[in-house]
Amino acid sequence: MHYFKNITIVDKTKYIFVTGGVTSSLGKGIIAASLGKLLQARGFRVTNQKLDPYINVDPGTLNPYEHGECYVTVDGHEADLDLGHYERFLNVETHKANNVTTGRIYQNVINKERRGDFLGKTVQIIPHITDEIKRNIKSLGSKGEYDFVITEIGGTVGDIESLPYIESVRQLRWELGKNCLIVHLTYVPYLAAAKELKTKPTQHSVKALQEQGVQPDILVLRTEHNISMEMRKKVALFCNVEPHAVMQSIDVPSIYRVPLNMMAEKLDEVVLAKMGFDSATTPVADMEKWTAFVEKLENAKDEVRIALVGKYVQLPDSYKSIIESLIHASAYNNRKLKLDLILSDKLNDENIEKRLGKVDGILIAPGFGTRGMEGKFSALRFARERNIPCLGICMGMQTMSIEFARNVLGFKDANSTEIDPTTPNNIVDIMDEQKNVLDLGGSMRLGAFECSLTPGSKAAAIYGETTIRERHRHRYEFNNAYKEQFEAAGMTCSGVNEESHLVEIIELNSHKWYIGVQFHPEYRSTVVNPHPLFISFIQAAIQ
Ligand code: GLN
């Protein structure tokens, strides 16, 4: 596989593993994505993968409070939110194969056992589960599409749940030799009373990894204070790692700084050297566009104030991709995002002015079920009547249609069949076309679908295209029986799926910026390509 003409020849896919120790939430996903970005910026083809140690077959059924947002790939996989970081950092689409859970590994092995594939053998964690894990890791590299596969192992070293993954890494290290490398992320706590950074937890977590037969090549120490050379040498000595392979990842105000900091720590350089690349002939990383974005983000002085109205706001990770999309679009417009997270359950027509009176724009979030619906109607009516820019996403668009039917078309009992199955005015319903699909066992409309935009509409102007592809995750749809009445009253259905006739975008003609989308544009916004809908929404908000 010749990637760089006359410069670098990557003949075999290289596998890099990112493990974590001491505690969870250290930002393994960000370190893995940053390393991916730096290698990609040198011209290599990179993909990031996440192995999750939980038993759920995929994160689709997890409550957002448990695990944050469910990210959706183009091929309709409901995935861990780390895949969102990978796409935002690398600007490359991920797929089902980029996220594997223990549940799926076991399901595959048990299916094979039922089919008789193991020919009467006793099915065991080693080798059957570990073989399945290795197959899932190597399948990403097997088609020759990538020079580097970076696999993040979820959980913390020492957990019972991650043992089979670490064992698989041990085996792969042995099989792949120099084409395999292990980066271990740990935490160096600062004891305020002693005014000291402590490396003992790092030493212990490396020991735990070594006990499982895995020697890390590179240690990344997450810290709140700079770690001295002396301390790095001490860690190196205790952990069998070279001093220049002990790096720090210091706390930063924005995750988008991390790749630049890791470049300064020479993470990519050390990785390449350890994997046998010649530094004299390996291209340097081109981080120009990335740096320009980070500078815009950090230098923006004027604020744009956006209210995100949803039912899971106590855990902002539930809206990870939406928040990141707003950050991208604000930075693009040289604004600093001031985000008000508003719990929709607490909103009503009486307190709405107090809660939303000062914001520049309102975003009505996706969601499932009845809780918090009525508050969304209050927020929507306020945005509609006060000409405040408003973006409704998925259930946000559905509530937009119901509010319009109730308060403009005069259908007092308008609702969604998801909320009230007996409603006579089911503005939001499961469409007949969908019913057939759903009856066949699919439970949601998932993944990327095409949408045609009405020429002359706001949506068409924003996208600058007539056909777009956006990702979906929902069961209910705008009920086409009401389309004519909506359009006659000034709510245009400006985006439609030609094949199914499903309405994907609605927009209020007489309003400054009032757009609802049935899909999730947030899954497609990246650092180098902020999403046009978010850019336009922020532009309207600052006008
Ligand atoms: N509850 C809605 C549906 O299933 C919307 C889902 C969502 O917002 N992702 O159609």
Side-chain angles (χ1 to χ4, degrees):
M1 183 199 317
H2 294 239
Y3 195 50
F4 269 103
K5 265 185 248 129
N6 309 323
I7 309 180
T8 303
I9 299 170
V10 179
D11 52 356
K12 276 211 175 87
T13 304
K14 317 274 179 201
Y15 293 86
I16 299 175
F17 295 94
V18 180
T19 58
V22 183
T23 165
S24 57
S25 305
L26 289 181
K28 255 189 312 212
I30 301 296
I31 291 294
S34 298
L35 175 57
K37 183 75 224 171
L38 292 175
L39 292 172
Q40 186 195 51
R42 286 173 177 264
F44 295 109
R45 300 164 309 160
V46 184
T47 192
N48 277 83
Q49 182 185 43
K50 172 87 189 276
L51 302 182
D52 273 312
Y54 48 77
I55 316 289
N56 305 63
V57 173
D58 63 48
T61 52
L62 284 170
N63 184 318
Y65 283 135
E66 292 274 323
H67 211 73
E69 157 190 287
C70 173
Y71 190 77
V72 179
T73 58
V74 269
D75 57 346
H77 180 59
E78 298 178 279
D80 184 85
L81 57 73
D82 271 322
L83 264 67
H85 292 310
Y86 305 159
E87 290 204 15
R88 287 187 284 274
F89 276 54
L90 275 81
N91 199 35
V92 171
E93 284 173 354
T94 55
H95 299 90
K96 185 175 179 185
N98 293 77
N99 185 203
V100 181
T101 67
T102 295
R104 193 147 105 235
I105 296 286
Y106 272 79
Q107 192 179 50
N108 290 349
V109 171
I110 292 169
N111 287 344
K112 286 181 188 169
E113 187 272 336
R114 293 289 86 186
R115 280 203 310 264
D117 291 7
F118 298 117
L119 305 172
K121 284 255 182 257
T122 308
V123 180
Q124 296 182 296
I125 293 183
I126 305 172
H128 301 98
I129 295 295
T130 48
D131 278 355
E132 182 64 20
I133 293 172
K134 289 195 292 179
R135 192 183 66 77
N136 275 276
I137 294 166
K138 289 200 286 189
S139 79
L140 268 181
S142 64
K143 289 190 214 98
E145 287 169 44
Y146 302 109
D147 302 321
F148 287 90
V149 174
I150 302 176
T151 300
E152 172 192 352
I153 314 283
T156 308
V157 169
D159 293 349
I160 290 177
E161 292 180 324
S162 48
L163 274 172
Y165 291 113
I166 303 293
E167 168 60 16
S168 305
V169 172
R170 186 194 67 76
Q171 294 177 20
L172 280 173
R173 181 57 191 267
W174 190 247
E175 281 170 35
L176 298 166
K178 258 205 148 142
N179 290 322
C180 177
L181 181 128
I182 295 135
V183 178
H184 186 57
L185 176 66
T186 74
Y187 180 54
V188 174
Y190 179 74
L191 296 189
K195 295 199 176 57
E196 253 187 294
L197 286 163
K198 289 293 181 191
T199 63
K200 195 70 80 187
T202 295
Q203 296 172 36
H204 280 292
S205 100
V206 173
K207 283 233 162 63
L209 205 52
Q210 288 166 339
E211 270 166 26
Q212 293 170 33
V214 173
Q215 170 62 50
D217 300 282
I218 294 174
L219 294 178
V220 177
L221 314 182
R222 177 74 193 268
T223 177
E224 285 153 37
H225 298 270
N226 277 312
I227 299 175
S228 67
M229 204 51 223
E230 198 185 334
M231 192 165 268
R232 292 179 196 215
K233 280 187 185 150
K234 180 176 151 191
V235 172
L237 183 68
F238 275 110
C239 301
N240 293 351
V241 175
E242 289 174 287
H244 71 276
V246 179
M247 313 176 180
Q248 70 174 24
S249 170
I250 198 156
D251 280 10
V252 275
S254 153
I255 52 168
Y256 298 114
R257 251 290 145 201
V258 178
L260 300 176
N261 280 3
M262 293 324 294
M263 185 157 92
E265 292 284 311
K266 301 192 165 48
L267 175 60
D268 51 332
E269 205 177 303
V270 176
V271 163
L272 290 170
K274 284 190 177 294
M275 297 190 104
F277 288 80
D278 179 355
S279 64
T281 54
T282 311
V284 293
D286 174 6
M287 292 292 282
E288 207 178 309
K289 270 192 182 161
W290 188 277
T291 308
F293 165 81
V294 174
E295 280 170 4
K296 266 186 137 189
L297 179 75
E298 290 176 349
N299 295 335
K301 300 246 163 357
D302 295 337
E303 283 183 348
V304 56
R305 187 166 173 185
I306 302 294
L308 171 56
V309 178
K311 61 191 275 198
Y312 310 113
V313 292
Q314 292 98 328
L315 183 72
D317 265 4
S318 310
Y319 300 114
K320 191 77 198 162
S321 293
I322 292 180
I323 296 174
E324 295 308 317
S325 303
L326 289 169
I327 291 173
H328 303 158
S330 302
Y332 181 92
N333 285 302
N334 301 308
R335 293 292 160 132
K336 195 155 120 183
L337 176 68
K338 179 167 183 343
L339 188 66
D340 292 5
L341 292 163
I342 310 266
L343 185 65
S344 56
D345 310 32
K346 296 267 162 35
L347 288 179
N348 52 51
D349 289 343
E350 277 68 56
N351 65 16
I352 200 77
E353 168 87 55
K354 200 162 156 250
R355 310 299 307 276
L356 297 181
K358 293 204 175 69
V359 303
D360 304 314
I362 298 173
L363 194 152
I364 308 292
F368 292 86
T370 36
R371 183 170 67 83
M373 277 282 266
E374 294 299 321
K376 288 183 176 169
F377 295 137
S378 297
L380 283 162
R381 178 173 203 161
F382 188 74
R384 187 173 52 75
E385 292 179 349
R386 300 288 184 96
N387 209 24
I388 301 169
C390 183
L391 169 60
I393 298 181
C394 205
M395 189 183 250
M397 165 189 146
Q398 299 172 352
T399 43
M400 247 179 195
S401 348
I402 298 166
E403 191 279 327
F404 188 78
R406 285 187 187 177
N407 300 324
V408 179
L409 300 181
F411 300 135
K412 290 287 162 248
D413 49 4
N415 216 328
S416 156
T417 47
E418 178 180 13
I419 308 306
D420 175 9
T422 64
T423 181
N425 283 316
N426 49 351
I427 304 298
V428 177
D429 193 11
I430 295 182
M431 306 301 280
D432 288 341
E433 296 88 339
Q434 273 291 98
K435 270 179 197 144
N436 297 332
V437 182
L438 299 180
D439 288 346
L440 290 170
S443 67
M444 275 210 253
R445 197 166 159 225
L446 279 169
F449 290 86
E450 253 180 30
C451 168
S452 302
L453 307 179
T454 310
S457 63
K458 279 198 186 97
I462 290 167
Y463 277 93
E465 286 175 281
T466 47
T467 310
I468 56 166
R469 263 175 84 76
E470 293 279 8
R471 302 181 205 176
H472 291 247
R473 180 175 185 246
H474 55 102
R475 291 187 183 84
Y476 295 84
E477 307 282 352
F478 179 85
N479 186 347
N480 276 328
Y482 295 89
K483 196 172 164 188
E484 267 179 35
Q485 288 167 78
F486 268 64
E487 299 214 311
M491 181 74 99
T492 302
C493 300
S494 55
V496 175
N497 178 293
E498 300 279 359
E499 218 173 298
S500 59
H501 305 292
L502 295 171
V503 172
E504 317 282 42
I505 307 178
I506 56 170
E507 59 183 59
L508 192 55
N509 306 342
S510 60
H511 196 282
K512 183 175 174 187
W513 206 103
Y514 196 85
I515 299 179
V517 291
Q518 184 57 75
F519 48 78
H520 292 264
E522 70 272 21
Y523 296 141
R524 239 166 36 85
S525 186
T526 70
V527 165
V528 294
N529 274 331
H531 196 286
L533 263 181
F534 283 91
I535 292 178
S536 170
F537 172 57
I538 296 293
Q539 268 161 2
I542 59 188
Q543 259 164 31

